[in-house]
């Protein structure tokens, strides 16, 4: 009997709204009808837990404003039309530091996909860490969704922090020009992050670019956000990819160089080796700079949040670009590469087209000692052999 009475009241109110619709704004109707709402919290911090707020009665907001500024962004372009509208609404709210907005959808899955796309396209949203959404229902029917970004700072703090980040980024990018090739830009960013940012598991602000630019200590999410942000400053399209690597949660990037897609994992760019009991020495591992899909899948498994392309291009592969990709047995050519690295006191990694060719080079230059024919004065050989990638790294660095 109670249920029947409630339905009758709701019907009456709807009829009342219809009869006065020309005289009153939707706001007025909400003053009459209080709709049940329930809130849930979604965090971008991977260690955070989802929180639920008990059902209350609350007014449904006016429809959200929408600025269309993301045309051409990868994740944005891979949403359907309704997804792009919700994406625009969310991004507009975040950029304007709005407290909450009413979305133009009641599809929870679409809301989540749109927010994931926003975060994928914009690595520089350091002042927000997830969102709270409120579901509005009439009985069992979902009639509205409210989106409220979870801000970590005030607008004034955001402006101050942005100025600090801008100054650092300007200094970091002074060594590269917007007119340089796409490959040079990608290589510059990859190298700079490897040399200037330390991986620290419990680093503060590790889920955003503050940890990279202001603290220089981060984790994979911070690296991926910084790659997207820096490449964006240089006019290179990229998006943040989430998934797992070696079974653990991980983030990396999809980047576009000369209209071809590659994967980049700057987190794994900073590598190291140890000679016997000596001190570990660091070096930049270029295997993860411009990966194909097949290479990426050797250690990474992306989730299904964003549609990803099949990356097969190799034109901008580091080893091919730098002349360190060996397809034929040419000892003199290999020796020339070794001489340059020896004289400069640096590590050089040679990638071979197949394992047989790699083994042939290993026997000739290392086991038989012919590296000494090219590197005058060498007394010991420090090397890393990698059968997975068909590579030999000659460690001539003396530090």
């Amino acid at each position: 009997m109670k249920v029947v009475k409630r339905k009758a009241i709701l019907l009456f109110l709807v009829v009342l709204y219809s009869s006065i619709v020309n005289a009153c704004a939707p706001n007025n109707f909400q003053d009459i009808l209080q709709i049940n709402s329930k809130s849930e919290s979604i965090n971008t911090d991977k260690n955070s837990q989802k929180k639920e707020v008990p059902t209350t009665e609350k007014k449904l907001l006016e429809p959200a404003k929408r600025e269309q500024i993301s045309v051409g962004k990868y994740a944005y372009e891979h949403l359907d039309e309704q997804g792009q509208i919700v994406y625009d609404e969310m991004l507009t709210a975040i950029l304007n530091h709005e407290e909450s907005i009413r979305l133009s959808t009641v599809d929870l899955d679409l809301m989540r996909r749109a927010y994931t796309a926003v975060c994928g396209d914009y690595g520089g949203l350091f002042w927000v860490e997830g969102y709270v959404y409120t579901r509005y229902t009439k009985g069992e029917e979902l009639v509205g969704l409210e989106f409220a970004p979870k801000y970590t700072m005030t607008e004034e703090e955001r402006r101050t922090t942005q100025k600090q980040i801008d100054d650092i980024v300007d200094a970091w990018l002074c060594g590269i020009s917007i007119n340089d090739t796409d490959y040079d830009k990608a290589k510059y960013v990859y190298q700079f992050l490897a040399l200037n940012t330390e991986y620290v598991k419990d680093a503060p602000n590790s889920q955003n670019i503050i940890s990279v630019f202001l603290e220089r200590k981060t984790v994979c999410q911070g690296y991926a956000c910084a790659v997207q942000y820096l490449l964006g400053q240089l006019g290179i399209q990229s998006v943040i990819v989430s998934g797992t690597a070696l079974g653990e949660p991980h983030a990396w990037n999809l980047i576009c160089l000369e209209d071809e897609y590659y994967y980049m994992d700057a987190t794994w760019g900073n590598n190291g080796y140890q000679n016997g009991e000596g001190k570990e020495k660091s070096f930049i591992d270029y295997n993860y700079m411009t990966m194909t899909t097949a290479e990426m899948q050797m250690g990474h498994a992306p989730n299904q949040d964003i549609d990803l392309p099949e990356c097969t291009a190799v034109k901008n592969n580091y080893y091919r670009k730098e002349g360190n990709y060996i397809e034929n047995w040419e000892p003199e050519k290999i020796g020339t590469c070794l001489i340059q690295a020896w004289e400069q006191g640096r590590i050089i990694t040679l990638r071979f087209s197949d394992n047989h060719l790699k083994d042939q080079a290993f026997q000739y230059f290392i086991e038989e000692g012919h590296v000494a024919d090219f590197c005058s004065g060498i007394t010991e050989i420090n090397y890393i052999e990698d059968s997975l990638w068909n590579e030999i790294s000659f460690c001539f660095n003396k530090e």
Side-chain angles (χ1 to χ4, degrees):
M1 190 69 178
K2 183 177 181 181
V3 174
V4 172
K5 183 178 179 181
R6 185 183 179 201
K7 286 183 177 178
I9 292 173
L10 285 175
L11 177 61
F12 170 75
L13 290 174
V14 171
V15 172
L16 175 63
Y17 171 63
S18 299
S19 67
I20 62 174
V21 69
N22 293 327
C24 302
N27 254 23
N28 297 359
F29 176 59
Q30 295 299 336
D31 288 338
I32 300 172
L33 175 59
Q34 300 291 314
I35 301 178
N36 288 332
S37 66
K38 183 176 182 180
S39 299
E40 295 186 13
S41 175
I42 304 297
N43 297 288
T44 51
D45 186 338
K46 302 300 185 295
N47 297 317
S48 299
Q49 300 296 318
K50 183 172 75 171
K51 299 179 181 179
E52 294 189 2
V53 179
T55 299
T56 60
E57 288 191 346
K58 187 178 178 182
K59 296 178 184 178
L60 188 57
L61 297 174
E62 290 287 338
K65 294 177 291 184
R66 176 194 177 200
E67 296 178 23
Q68 200 170 4
I69 63 173
S70 300
V71 174
K73 295 280 188 179
Y74 182 87
Y76 181 84
E77 294 294 346
H78 285 77
L79 292 170
D80 61 19
E81 183 179 0
Q82 184 58 41
Q84 291 179 351
I85 292 172
V86 175
Y87 174 119
D88 289 334
E89 293 169 346
M90 290 178 166
L91 181 61
T92 300
I94 291 169
L95 295 180
N96 293 333
H97 222 96
E98 295 185 41
E99 182 179 342
S100 58
I101 59 166
R102 175 184 171 184
L103 297 175
S104 60
T105 184
V106 293
D107 186 333
L108 290 169
D109 183 60
L110 177 61
M111 175 188 67
R112 295 186 181 105
R113 284 190 284 110
Y115 184 77
T116 297
V118 169
C119 294
D121 282 337
Y122 290 90
L125 303 178
F126 59 83
W127 62 93
V128 62
E129 60 170 13
Y131 62 94
V132 174
Y133 70 92
T134 303
R135 295 175 291 176
Y136 291 84
T137 59
K138 292 179 183 177
E140 299 298 320
E141 182 186 3
L142 181 59
V143 295
L145 280 177
E146 183 179 303
F147 170 80
K150 296 176 64 176
Y151 299 116
T152 60
M153 59 184 68
T154 66
E155 284 190 81
E156 181 60 33
E157 291 170 334
R158 167 187 161 188
R159 283 191 289 269
T160 300
T161 303
Q162 185 68 66
K163 177 62 168 61
Q164 294 172 334
I165 290 173
D166 290 344
D167 290 344
I168 293 294
V169 169
D170 287 345
W172 279 23
L173 295 182
C174 68
I176 193 74
S177 166
I178 193 73
N179 297 318
D180 285 320
T181 67
D182 286 358
Y183 172 80
D184 288 334
K185 294 172 186 176
K187 179 183 174 184
Y188 184 89
V189 168
Y190 189 81
Q191 289 178 328
F192 211 95
L193 287 172
L195 295 173
N196 291 276
T197 311
E198 181 183 1
Y199 184 93
V200 177
K201 185 176 181 180
D202 298 319
N205 296 303
S206 62
Q207 301 301 301
N208 63 64
I209 59 174
I210 293 175
S211 58
V212 176
F213 299 130
L214 302 186
E215 297 161 1
R216 301 198 179 188
K217 295 179 181 179
T218 194
V219 296
C220 60
Q221 185 69 30
Y223 277 108
C225 287
V227 166
Q228 196 284 324
Y229 190 79
L230 290 171
L231 289 180
Q233 301 297 306
L234 295 171
I236 298 292
Q237 184 190 81
S238 66
V239 68
I240 298 165
V241 179
S242 297
T244 60
L246 303 179
E248 297 292 329
H250 196 59
W252 60 102
N253 299 87
L254 175 73
I255 67 174
C256 186
L257 307 180
E258 298 177 9
D259 299 321
E260 294 178 329
Y261 286 105
Y262 302 83
Y263 289 101
M264 173 185 287
D265 186 350
T267 306
W268 287 10
N270 192 344
N271 212 328
Y273 71 96
Q274 190 168 9
N275 180 26
E277 300 299 322
K279 182 179 179 181
E280 183 174 294
K281 300 179 180 181
S282 63
F283 70 98
I284 299 175
D285 190 337
Y286 291 98
N287 287 340
Y288 308 100
M289 192 182 96
T290 46
M291 294 181 285
T292 63
T293 294
E295 291 169 341
M296 179 269 291
Q297 289 176 339
M298 290 196 296
H300 302 66
N303 57 31
Q304 304 301 313
D305 289 340
I306 299 175
D307 291 333
L308 297 171
E310 183 72 17
C311 302
T312 58
V314 296
K315 181 174 66 174
N316 285 298
N317 173 272
Y318 168 81
Y319 300 97
R320 293 175 184 267
K321 275 286 190 180
E322 302 294 328
N324 296 345
Y325 185 72
I326 311 301
E327 298 181 89
N328 301 293
W329 178 240
E330 299 176 275
E332 293 296 325
K333 179 181 177 181
I334 297 173
T336 300
C337 295
L338 297 179
I339 290 172
Q340 295 174 351
W342 169 250
E343 292 177 345
Q344 296 168 6
R346 61 180 175 85
I347 294 176
I348 181 172
T349 300
L350 302 177
R351 176 179 289 184
F352 299 86
S353 58
D354 59 62
N355 196 57
H356 173 74
L357 194 56
K358 187 264 296 179
D359 288 343
Q360 189 175 6
F362 184 86
Q363 179 180 342
Y364 182 82
F365 286 98
I366 295 176
E367 292 183 341
E368 298 177 9
H370 288 288
V371 65
D373 298 344
F374 302 92
C375 303
S376 177
I378 191 170
T379 58
E380 64 177 16
I381 307 172
N382 294 318
Y383 66 89
I384 304 169
E385 183 182 16
D386 189 334
S387 296
L388 179 65
W389 292 90
N390 293 327
E391 293 173 353
I392 304 173
S393 296
F394 293 82
C395 306
F396 296 140
N397 55 330
K398 299 178 175 60
E399 297 180 357

